Structure formats: C-alpha cells, structure tokens
C-alpha cells in the first residue's frame, strides 16, 4: 500500500514537472547555451560507450545467429536478422539503458545535491523556476541527441555483425552479401520505429531522473539514494515502455 | 503607520523608488511531525525597519525566515508580506525579496560572478554590460573583486557568506532577510556587514529582518528586536528596551556568565 501510494505520487509529480517544463518552452531560445551544454553532456559523453556496446552486440548477434542458422542452411539471412534486431529493438533499448546509467544518474546526483544544499530553494526565492533552467534544457537536449545516438548504435552494430560474419570460419559471408540481406528485409519504417522508441525512452529517463533529483529530501546521504532510485526507476520504465511502444507501433 | 507607508525602497543600483514592504506574522505555528518548532508567534515588521530576531540555537529562527519567503508552509496562522500571502507563488513575482541563507546556498557549479549574474540574466534586468557593472559594484561593496572568477568550493566560509550577501544585494530587494550574516566572520568583517545592513536601510529603506546571535549587531543597528525561545517570542521591543530588560531569560541570553564552579551542562544532569 505504501509502495503503491509512492508510485502514484511519483507519477503525479513527474507529470507536474513535465507540464511546468513545457510551460517554459518559449524561453528555450534564450537558453541556447544551456541547451548546447546539455547536448554535449548527454550526447557526446554517452557516444563512446554506445559505440563500443553496439559493436559487440552486433558481433555477438551475428555469431549466435550464424551458429544456429547454419543448421537450416539459412545463414545468408544473418544480415537481415542482425539488422532488424538492432534497428527495432536492441539499439534503442541499449542506448536508453546506457543513458540511464551514464546520464540519468548524473542528473539525479546534480539536482539532488542542489536540493540538499538549498540551491533549489535559492532559485525559488529568486523567482527562477528550476523547471525552466534545469529541466527544460535537458529535455530538449535529449530529444535532439537520442536519435543521433540510436542511429550510431544501428550503424556500428550492423558493422560489427558484418565483420564477424566475414571472419568467422563457419559463417564466412562477405560484407556485400551481408548488407544485401540486411537491406532486403528492412524497411525505413523499421529504423523509424526504433528511433521513435529511443526518443520516448530517452525523454522518460531524463524526466524521471530530474524529478527524483528535485524531490530529494534530507541530508547528503539522500543524494546517493536518489541516484540509485533514478537508475532503477529508469530501467523499469524503459522495459515497461518498450512493451507498450512496441505494441503501439506494430 | 501612514508615514512609513509612504517610505520607499530606493534601489542602490538604479536609484528608482519602489515602496518598502511590511511583514506580518500572525499566530504562526509550525510542526515537523510531532516536533512543534513555532508556537503561536505573532509580530509585525514595519516598512523600512531593521528587525533583529535573536534566540538560542534550534529555537526556530531559520524556520521562521523560510515562512516569510514561502519555502515552508505554516501549520497554523499566516504570514503576509505587504498584505499578500507569503506562501503564494505570485507574491514572489510581485515583491522582490532576497534571503541570505545561513549556509550560503551558493550555486556550486557557477563562478562567484555567475552566481551574482544569474538573477539579473534570468529576469533580463540589464544587458551584459549593465549586469557586469551591477555585479562588480556588489562585489566591491563586500571586497570580493578578487574572488569574481572563483568557484564557491575555493572560498573560505566567511567569503561564501559575503558572496551570499552580494548575491542578495544585486537583486535590489524590497525585503531583505539575513540568516546569521555575521557568524563565521572576523570581528571587523562582522562590523562591516552590520554597517552595510544599516546603510542599505538608511539610504534605500529596504525592510530588513536579520536573524543573528550577534549582540553588537542587535544593539547597534536594530530598530526593534525579537527574542525567540523554544518556538515562542519571549521579548519584543526596541534596542533600548532590550538593554533595559530585566527578564532573567533575556539577561542570561545576552550576557551569559561562564561559571566554572557550577557549569550549565552539570546543572542539566541533576
Ligand atoms: N525540515 C525540517 N524537518 C524537521 N525538523 C526541522 C526541519 N527544519 C528545522 N527543523 C527543526 O526545527 C528546529 C528549529 O530549527 P531552526 O533551523 O529554525 O533553528 P535556528 O533557530 O535557526 O537555530 P540556529 O541558530 O542553530 O541556526 C530544530 O529543532 C530543527 O531540528
Ligand atoms: Mg538557523
């Protein structure tokens, strides 16, 4: 019962924060500097880990599918399988999970410490809404950077699959054949679906992390608790949203 | 109070006049769970006066200040600023008020300069050149020019305090609240701060509420003094009345004797 009320409270305050942030959208052009800074923090710093992880996911997918499809003599379809899995599902989900770990945690830590050390209170007495200068630029930045991250995850993942497909003895498919298979069964719609998913997940991760950070109460020890809560909540949310968004987009 | 109604806050930077505001605390109570921090506190602060609130540590002074800026909501009673409910968000839009937090509450991710400039930029008070002028002026008043490009983590406790005061000054407030502005400062700087508070009031008629343990400050610059003990106001009067007070609680609070033969902490044990 206590957990349920806390979950409902959390949903309520998150939506409230969203509405507040949206009401400040007209101030966005003036906050260009903050927006660029957040794009850098969200996009540029997450990029290396996204690239590394998607390369290996693509490779492993090729390896696994090569191993099992060889039995059916269907290994020429490896490219399609790797391509579709990454574009529709693994790319966006992986980007969002990395975002939760890398960016969601950092946002929660920063805002929680601002709250604990009364910086948020100071902003409020100055009549500067935290939603305007702390939340809105981050939401705008994640909307711009998430598709970029997801596209890079796709490309690197496909490429990783291609390399494994060529150099593994029992697969040995040349890149042109691999990419031809990849293109044959994939439509633009598949990639677009993946990008929409990434966008939804990324937005949710940033919004939830901001809200948890801003609602921190108590002393410095609560900062750590807020970070953990932000990451765990983000991960659960990503998986729940994944189901519903996938269903809606089918 | 017809005459003080007309008194105005003259802004130290633009020299425009805005009316000074009054503050009314009416039967204010506040509890955190079972802990009753404020118990039916009532007093008025007149426009343009310096009101010093004293009291032992933990008596609820900081909590009371937070009610005036709307950061805490009353459990009972009411706080109004110029007749407007302090808890309402619109009040902060209509009345410029600044609180110097006890712990400073500086923005740790920004330089001292940007800490001061944030308010001016966000409210588009002036262009960058104008902002620079105002910020440097405030830093100069508190002899902080050399610290402009430093981050709060690079400052001493007393410097942080002065930055917090400077940051409040640039807001050109109609109501200025200080939470222990002179603690952590050396005696000369403490006296300087008292002078600044008094000067601002004399020249610009800023309504000022100072929470402080500093007897020198209270006895030199206060128009009126309130003493809060255990969540209740035990004294309210001018500084002359404070000097003359015979109330044993007040006398002991202002001039505590260090009695080694019979120390206080041992009295508690028995
Ligand atoms: N957010 C809060 N939650 C629970 N208790 C609180 C909270 N804020 C303050 N208190 C309690 O209220 C009482 C008064 O605190 P307050 O900070 O107002 O003291 P103070 O008079 O400012 O003391 P000092 O001179 O040491 O600053 C303390 O007992 C404190 O523990
Ligand atoms: Mg205090």
């Amino acid at each position: 019962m206590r957990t349920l009320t806390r979950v409902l409270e959390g949903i309520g305050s998150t939506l409230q924060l969203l509405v507040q942030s949206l009401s400040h959208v007209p101030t966005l052009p003036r906050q260009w500097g903050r927006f660029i800074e957040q794009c850098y923090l969200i996009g540029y710093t997450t990029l290396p880990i996204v690239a590394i992880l998607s390369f290996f996911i693509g490779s492993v997918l090729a390896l696994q599918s090569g191993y099992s499809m060889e039995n059916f003599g269907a290994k020429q379809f490896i490219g399609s399988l790797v391509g579709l899995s990454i574009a529709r599902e693994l790319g966006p989900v992986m980007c969002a999970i990395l975002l939760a770990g890398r960016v969601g945690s950092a946002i929660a830590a920063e805002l929680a410490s601002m709250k604990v050390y009364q910086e948020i209170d100071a902003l409020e007495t100055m009549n500067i809404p935290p939603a305007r200068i702390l939340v809105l630029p981050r939401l705008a930045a994640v909307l711009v950077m998430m598709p970029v991250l997801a596209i890079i995850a796709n490309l690197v993942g496909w490429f990783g699959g291609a390399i494994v497909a060529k150099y593994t003895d029992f697969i040995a498919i040349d890149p042109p054949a691999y990419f031809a298979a990849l293109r044959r069964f994939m439509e633009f719609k598949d990639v677009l679906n993946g990008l929409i998913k990434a966008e939804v997940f990324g937005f949710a991760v940033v919004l939830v992390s901001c809200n948890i950070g801003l609602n921190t109460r108590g002393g410095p020890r609560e900062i750590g608790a807020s970070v953990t809560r932000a990451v765990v909540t983000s991960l659960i949310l990503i998986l729940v949203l994944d189901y519903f968004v996938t269903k809606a987009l089918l | 109070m017809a005459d003080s109604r007309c008194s105005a806050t003259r802004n130290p930077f633009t020299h425009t006049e805005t009316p000074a505001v009054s503050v009314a605390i009416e039967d204010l109570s506040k509890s955190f769970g079972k802990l009753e921090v404020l118990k039916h506190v009532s007093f008025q602060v007149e426009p343009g006066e310096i009101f010093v609130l004293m009291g032992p540590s933990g008596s609820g002074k900081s909590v009371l200040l937070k009610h005036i800026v709307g950061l805490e909501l009353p459990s009972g009673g009411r706080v109004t600023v110029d007749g407007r409910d302090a808890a309402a968000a619109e009040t902060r839009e209509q009345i410029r008020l600044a609180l110097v937090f006890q712990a400073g509450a500086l923005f740790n991710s920004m330089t001292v300069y940007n800490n001061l400039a944030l308010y001016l930029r966000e409210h588009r008070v002036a262009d960058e050149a104008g902002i620079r002028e105002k910020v440097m002026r405030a830093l100069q008043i508190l002899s902080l020019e050399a610290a402009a490009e430093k981050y709060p983590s690079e400052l001493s406790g007393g410097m942080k305090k002065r930055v917090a005061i400077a940051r409040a000054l640039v807001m050109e407030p109609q109501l200025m609240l200080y939470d222990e502005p002179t603690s952590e400062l050396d005696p000369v700087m403490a006296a300087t701060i008292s002078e600044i508070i008094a000067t601002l009031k004399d020249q610009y008629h800023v309504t000022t509420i100072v929470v402080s343990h500093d007897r020198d400050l209270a006895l030199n610059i206060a128009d009126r003094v309130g003493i809060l003990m255990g969540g209740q106001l035990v004294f309210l009067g001018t500084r002359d009345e404070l000097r003359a007070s015979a109330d044993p609680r007040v006398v002991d609070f202002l001039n505590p004797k260090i009695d080694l033969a019979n120390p206080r902490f041992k009295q508690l044990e028995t």
Side-chain angles (χ1 to χ4, degrees):
Chain A
M1 200 54 214
R2 283 256 307 281
T3 335
L4 185 67
T5 45
R6 267 186 57 187
V7 169
L8 290 177
E9 261 172 31
I11 294 174
S13 62
T14 309
L15 292 178
Q16 205 181 345
L17 185 65
L18 175 62
V19 172
Q20 283 169 7
S21 309
L22 293 181
S23 75
H24 295 297
V25 165
T27 67
L28 204 50
R30 286 203 277 131
Q31 303 201 58
W32 184 249
R34 285 194 195 104
F35 168 73
I36 295 296
E37 189 190 342
Q38 290 304 328
C39 283
Y40 173 81
L41 289 175
I42 292 173
Y44 191 73
T45 59
T46 324
L47 192 76
I49 179 108
V50 162
I52 293 172
L53 214 68
S54 44
F55 182 86
F56 281 101
I57 290 210
S59 318
V60 170
L61 264 181
L63 208 56
Q64 288 280 20
S65 52
Y67 173 74
S68 41
M69 285 163 109
E70 205 195 359
N71 303 332
F72 312 111
K75 66 179 185 183
Q76 67 271 30
F77 295 120
I78 288 176
S80 330
L81 197 141
V82 172
L84 276 176
S85 321
I86 289 185
R88 290 188 62 99
E89 185 64 37
L90 293 172
V93 169
M94 196 187 56
C95 282
I97 288 177
L98 292 177
L99 187 82
R102 189 86 169 69
V103 175
S105 59
I107 292 177
E110 184 177 348
L111 299 196
S113 99
M114 290 184 75
K115 174 78 192 209
V116 167
Y117 294 109
Q118 296 187 308
E119 294 179 38
I120 302 289
D121 288 350
L123 283 177
E124 270 167 19
T125 62
M126 293 177 169
N127 195 24
I128 302 172
R132 183 170 88 200
I133 69 165
L134 298 175
V135 182
L136 182 64
R138 290 183 163 90
L139 289 177
V142 77
L143 283 184
V144 172
M145 295 319 292
M146 229 21 215
V148 176
L149 287 175
I151 287 172
I152 288 170
N154 286 349
L155 294 177
V156 175
W158 294 341
F159 181 72
I163 290 186
V164 166
K166 177 165 166 54
Y167 290 108
T168 307
D169 292 340
F170 63 86
I171 306 178
I173 294 177
D174 278 336
Y178 171 90
F179 281 108
L182 189 148
R183 255 188 310 219
R184 180 130 46 101
F185 289 99
M186 186 150 52
E187 295 171 34
F188 177 65
K189 188 178 135 249
D190 295 314
V191 176
L192 188 67
N193 273 1
L195 296 187
I196 292 173
K197 272 187 182 179
E199 198 82 311
V200 172
F201 300 161
F203 193 81
V205 166
V206 170
L207 182 64
V208 162
S209 303
C210 284
N211 189 54
I212 288 175
L214 287 176
N215 281 308
T216 307
R217 258 171 251 296
R221 213 162 63 130
E222 303 304 317
I223 298 172
S226 281
V227 172
T228 312
R229 193 173 311 136
V231 173
V232 171
T233 313
S234 295
L235 293 180
I236 295 173
L237 200 61
I238 290 167
L239 297 178
V240 173
L241 281 174
D242 189 23
Y243 177 81
F244 288 104
V245 177
T246 306
K247 218 171 153 197
L249 289 175
L250 277 181
Chain B
M1 289 309 295
D3 62 338
S4 56
R5 276 257 149 236
C6 307
S7 76
T9 307
R10 260 207 309 136
N11 188 307
F13 298 94
T14 57
H15 303 286
T16 52
E17 303 217 341
T18 38
V21 298
S22 61
V23 176
I25 316 281
E26 295 161 22
D27 198 31
L28 177 67
S29 298
K30 176 71 182 181
S31 310
F32 293 105
K34 283 206 186 78
L35 179 72
E36 263 190 294
V37 177
L38 297 172
K39 299 166 193 159
H40 306 283
V41 177
S42 297
F43 63 90
Q44 289 258 352
V45 180
E46 304 301 338
E49 93 172 327
I50 295 181
F51 186 92
V52 176
L53 188 62
M54 305 180 81
S57 182
S59 56
K61 305 179 300 292
S62 297
V63 170
L64 197 145
L65 277 194
K66 285 188 187 158
H67 280 87
I68 301 175
V69 294
L71 287 175
E72 293 282 3
L73 302 179
S75 310
R78 208 159 94 90
V79 179
T80 56
V81 179
D82 225 22
R84 286 179 251 251
D85 186 0
E90 302 86 69
T91 309
R92 271 175 259 160
E93 285 163 26
Q94 287 151 353
I95 295 166
R96 280 193 312 280
L97 36 83
L99 169 59
V100 178
F101 285 82
Q102 187 165 6
L106 301 178
F107 304 120
N108 285 308
S109 62
M110 298 179 198
T111 61
V112 167
Y113 181 90
N114 287 333
N115 260 278
L116 269 67
L118 182 73
Y119 176 87
L120 303 171
R121 288 190 183 129
E122 287 302 316
H123 292 282
R124 292 192 271 190
V125 174
D127 57 12
E128 270 307 311
I131 288 175
R132 174 144 214 105
E133 196 178 311
K134 283 171 196 280
V135 169
M136 293 320 283
R137 171 96 204 277
L139 289 176
Q140 200 184 351
I141 292 179
L142 290 144
S143 20
L144 282 166
E145 299 102 312
E149 293 310 320
K150 290 195 169 148
Y151 284 88
S153 60
E154 301 166 320
L155 303 177
S156 73
M159 285 165 94
K160 281 186 197 159
K161 199 122 243 175
R162 283 183 282 148
V163 174
I165 295 173
R167 187 175 71 178
L169 286 185
V170 296
M171 290 173 67
E172 302 170 359
Q174 293 161 276
L175 172 61
M176 186 84 160
L177 308 169
Y178 301 87
D179 199 346
E180 314 222 354
T182 58
S183 64
E184 286 187 82
L185 298 182
D186 62 83
V188 177
M189 189 44 83
T192 311
I193 298 295
S194 300
E195 286 163 10
I196 290 170
I197 295 172
T199 309
L200 282 173
K201 178 250 169 172
D202 281 346
Q203 292 185 354
Y204 312 117
H205 300 288
V206 185
T207 308
T208 307
I209 302 178
V210 189
V211 163
S212 183
H213 302 299
D214 186 339
R215 278 171 298 169
D216 293 336
L217 180 146
L219 293 173
N220 284 297
I221 67 168
D223 291 312
R224 284 190 310 141
V225 180
I227 298 183
L228 201 60
M229 280 186 192
Q232 281 171 318
L233 213 54
V234 299
F235 174 88
L236 183 64
T238 63
R239 57 178 192 248
D240 292 329
E241 286 165 359
L242 179 68
R243 276 196 201 95
S245 172
D247 186 326
R249 290 173 301 184
V250 175
V251 172
D252 188 54
F253 180 71
L254 289 182
N255 295 298
K257 278 195 262 316
I258 297 178
D259 184 355
L260 294 178
N262 188 15
R264 284 180 182 72
F265 67 92
K266 288 221 172 120
Q267 289 172 17
L268 288 179
E269 282 166 14
T270 53

